[in-house]
Amino acid sequence: QVQLVESGGGLVQAGGSLRLSCAASGGTFSSYAMGWFRQAPGKEREFVARISQSGGSTYYSDTVKGRLTISRDNAKSTVYLQMNSLKPDDTAVYYCAADRYIRVTYYSTAEKYDYWGQGTQVTVTS
């Protein structure tokens, strides 16, 4: 059983930056691909980014590509989401998730992930 705990959310003005962290415990972190999803009020949960087990492959949604960067430190069992040039539309609860499989397809599908954190709120003001 893998436990995931997100941190780093907060209130930021448009154009600002935040770095989210997700600390994992209870499993072999390097055996899991990691993803970030977000859910805004009244909307479906949506895929943001994914990083492979080794960190060698990353995937992004078109809406965040070029502004958000996912990375991981397997020695610290932590995945990060660096968020730059934030927009009010980025306001959401951000969740990290762990997937035990290697994927090149369906990586944006939330149901493919085995473990989830509790989420951290990001609010971007205009």
Side-chain angles (χ1 to χ4, degrees), residues 20-34:
L20 305 184
S21 300
C22 172
S25 62
T28 304
F29 181 72
S30 59
S31 67
Y32 290 89
M34 299 299 296

Side-chain angles (χ1 to χ4, degrees), residues 44-66:
E44 297 283 319
R45 187 171 298 192
E46 67 170 345
F47 169 76
V48 174
R50 175 184 171 104
I51 189 166
S52 64
Q53 284 79 347
S54 68
S57 297
T58 56
Y59 308 87
Y60 296 92
S61 71
D62 289 342
T63 56
V64 307
K65 197 174 295 182

Side-chain angles (χ1 to χ4, degrees), residues 68-120:
L68 276 58
T69 303
I70 190 171
S71 62
R72 68 189 296 160
D73 186 335
N74 284 347
K76 295 182 178 179
S77 297
T78 301
V79 62
Y80 305 98
L81 187 67
Q82 178 66 43
M83 309 169 69
N84 298 329
S85 303
L86 284 163
K87 306 174 181 180
D89 284 349
D90 294 317
T91 295
V93 177
Y94 283 72
Y95 299 89
C96 70
D99 178 4
R100 73 188 72 183
Y101 294 110
I102 298 170
R103 301 185 195 276
V104 294
T105 58
Y106 299 107
Y107 51 79
S108 63
T109 303
E111 290 75 15
K112 299 297 185 183
Y113 290 77
D114 304 294
Y115 303 102
W116 291 82
Q118 82 291 346
T120 186

